């Protein structure tokens, strides 16, 4: 679930105190590269984003949406301007930014997409053009939650969207040729879930703590990352990252023990420690031959404020992703002053 702690506008630019440089405060970070510049997009008012030349020093670039998406209030009547959990992909010379709107604790949710030729806000070609809603979830009709989109192209170049939070887990469907709606005829897959009590009321998210899918293709496999546990609860946060893999994009995604993620499987990638708790909602990329895992983590020593983490992702002898938890401390983002 995306709890009320997502009201993070006041803390986006807050970081470690004292002599330490201010770090970048984000939830649910995703990254793309345009030219020689990296961009991180995150949950926040209108979708907050930052630019960097080195993935360490980040300059705030404002927000993607100056006004709320026109469809947002219809899909989520309690929508308050905070847009959740974006994903950014490049396709045919354009950038597609997927995003979600929702009501707190409800599956009154929808996911949309907006398109731009460039991510550089100083370019004359910079203009986001919203394509509207991709899908929505409706309480009483759906036992899934239309948030946390993540989009990937398969080997044939077809687009697929994974998404989901709590309820009956993480879903996957094929996108149409424009990557703006489900392909017809629609065929949906459950790719990961956790146990939901049999008689849990439909309107309840239930204790099936899973969300934030991200599929990454590497070495002949599709790797499905997911976040288990609770985010956004300061010292009580239990967020952590698990993974499974499949030869087919539709699954089944099996963990290291061969257990299907759709039946509760998932192998640990990284979890919190004394200094950093509640880490997750990751994305994964290859930039210039370097594989990285991008996520947020709460810093114990800074009142559990959310911080950006970019970790090197290695691969063990069996082809499973490995990250070094020591990088949670060694990677320190730096928030630069806003400016041209």
């Amino acid at each position: 679930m995306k709890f009320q702690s997502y009201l993070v506008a006041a803390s986006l630019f807050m970081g470690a105190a004292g002599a330490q440089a201010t770090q970048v405060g984000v939830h649910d970070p995703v990254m793309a590269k345009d030219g020689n510049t990296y961009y991180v997009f995150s949950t926040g008012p209108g979708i907050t984003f930052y630019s960097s030349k080195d993935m360490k020093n980040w300059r705030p670039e404002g927000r993607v949406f100056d006004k709320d998406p026109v469809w947002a209030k219809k899909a989520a009547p309690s929508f308050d301007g905070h847009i959740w959990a974006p994903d950014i992909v490049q396709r045919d010379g354009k950038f597609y930014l997927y995003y979600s709107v929702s009501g707190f604790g409800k599956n009154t949710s929808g996911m949309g997409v907006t398109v731009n030729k460039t991510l550089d806000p100083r370019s004359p070609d910079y203009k986001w053009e919203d394509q509207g809603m991709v899908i929505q979830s409706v309480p009483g009709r759906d036992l899934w939650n239309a948030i946390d989109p993540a989009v990937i192209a398969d080997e044939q170049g077809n687009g697929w969207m994974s998404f989901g939070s709590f309820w009956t887990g993480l879903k996957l469907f094929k996108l149409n040729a424009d990557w703006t709606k489900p392909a017809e005829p629609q065929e949906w897959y459950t790719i990961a879930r956790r146990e939901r009590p049999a008689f849990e009321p439909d309107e309840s998210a239930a204790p099936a703590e899973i969300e934030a899918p991200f599929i990454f293709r590497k070495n002949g496999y599709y790797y499905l990352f997911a976040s288990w546990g609770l985010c956004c609860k300061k010292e009580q946060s239990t967020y952590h990252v698990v993974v499974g893999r499949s030869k087919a994009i539709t699954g089944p995604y099996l963990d290291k023990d061969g257990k299907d993620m759709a039946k509760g499987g998932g192998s640990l990638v990284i979890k919190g420690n004394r200094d950093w708790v509640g880490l997750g909602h990751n994305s994964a990329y290859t930039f210039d031959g370097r594989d990285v895992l991008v996520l947020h983590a709460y810093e114990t020593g800074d009142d559990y404020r959310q911080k950006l983490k970019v970790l090197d992702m290695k691969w063990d002898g069996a082809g499973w992703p490995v990250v070094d938890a020591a990088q949670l401390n060694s990677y320190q983002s730096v928030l630069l002053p806003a400016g041209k």
Side-chain angles (χ1 to χ4, degrees):
M1 291 299 296
K2 299 297 180 284
F3 294 92
Q4 282 176 317
S5 293
Y6 264 171
L7 305 180
V8 297
S11 65
L12 281 172
F13 301 114
M14 298 180 69
Q20 192 175 22
T22 301
Q23 297 181 57
V24 178
V26 294
H27 270 120
D28 318 326
V30 292
M31 192 184 298
K33 189 177 184 183
D34 189 5
N36 63 353
T37 304
Y38 301 94
Y39 294 87
V40 157
F41 297 82
S42 71
T43 291
I47 304 179
T48 53
F49 74 113
Y50 305 81
S51 65
S52 174
K53 300 295 186 183
D54 59 6
M55 285 193 279
K56 179 178 179 181
N57 297 279
W58 295 92
R59 192 177 305 279
E61 296 289 2
R63 60 179 63 183
V64 170
F65 285 92
D66 293 327
K67 299 179 180 179
D68 294 344
V70 295
W71 59 270
K73 277 284 188 182
K74 184 176 181 180
S78 59
F79 173 67
D80 64 358
H82 270 68
I83 299 177
W84 295 353
D87 187 37
I88 182 76
V89 295
Q90 189 173 14
R91 172 181 180 261
D92 294 340
K94 295 181 180 180
F95 291 92
Y96 288 66
L97 182 65
Y98 298 86
Y99 59 92
S100 45
V101 302
S102 187
F104 166 66
K106 300 178 180 179
N107 63 337
T108 51
S109 308
M111 298 182 295
V113 59
T114 185
V115 179
N116 204 329
K117 293 180 180 178
T118 178
L119 300 181
D120 181 2
R122 295 158 192 82
S123 169
D125 293 326
Y126 181 84
K127 182 182 179 182
W128 289 105
E129 296 182 339
D130 194 40
Q131 306 300 301
M133 185 167 61
V134 180
I135 62 167
Q136 73 177 115
S137 53
V138 178
R141 186 193 73 180
D142 304 312
L143 266 179
W144 42 268
N145 196 8
I147 65 172
D148 295 3
V151 170
I152 183 176
D154 64 17
E155 295 96 329
Q156 291 76 41
N158 301 306
W160 294 79
M161 176 181 283
S162 59
F163 72 94
S165 175
F166 285 58
W167 274 274
T168 54
L170 309 182
K171 312 297 181 181
L172 177 78
F173 63 84
K174 187 178 180 181
L175 290 164
N176 67 359
D178 295 331
W179 287 30
T180 60
K181 300 289 183 184
E184 299 292 347
Q186 294 185 30
E187 188 171 3
W188 289 41
Y189 303 85
T190 295
I191 52 175
R193 64 181 295 173
R194 300 184 78 188
E195 185 177 356
R196 177 184 173 89
F199 299 103
E200 190 74 20
D202 287 356
E203 64 271 16
S204 170
E209 299 169 356
I210 185 171
E211 61 185 9
F214 194 93
I215 299 174
F216 178 70
R217 187 150 53 100
K218 180 81 175 183
N219 298 328
Y221 283 101
Y222 293 95
Y223 290 84
L224 171 60
F225 295 90
S227 292
W228 285 4
L230 299 173
C231 81
C232 321
K233 296 182 74 68
K234 291 196 170 183
E235 71 278 5
Q236 296 179 7
S237 301
T238 57
Y239 232 29
H240 58 286
V241 178
V242 300
V243 70
R245 68 186 183 187
S246 174
K247 288 287 188 178
I249 194 167
T250 54
Y253 288 88
L254 307 182
D255 66 14
K256 292 180 181 180
D257 296 322
K259 187 173 182 179
D260 189 344
M261 291 184 74
K263 298 179 180 178
S267 296
L268 180 67
V269 178
I270 189 169
K271 63 180 180 179
N273 57 28
R274 182 182 63 183
D275 297 325
W276 300 93
V277 299
L279 53 88
H281 206 117
N282 75 281
S283 50
Y285 307 97
T286 301
F287 291 118
D288 302 319
R290 176 191 177 194
D291 294 336
V292 294
L293 195 75
V294 181
L295 45 77
H296 72 248
Y298 296 123
E299 187 172 14
T300 304
D302 190 24
D303 194 29
Y304 303 97
R305 290 189 174 94
Q306 68 280 358
K307 306 292 175 66
L308 172 68
K309 294 296 169 184
V310 180
L311 311 179
D312 289 305
M313 187 163 55
K314 308 296 184 180
W315 304 88
D316 68 15
W320 289 98
V322 177
V323 293
D324 184 358
Q327 276 198 299
L328 292 170
N329 284 320
S330 63
Y331 175 85
Q332 300 283 320
S333 63
V334 176
L335 182 64
L336 302 174
K340 298 182 178 181

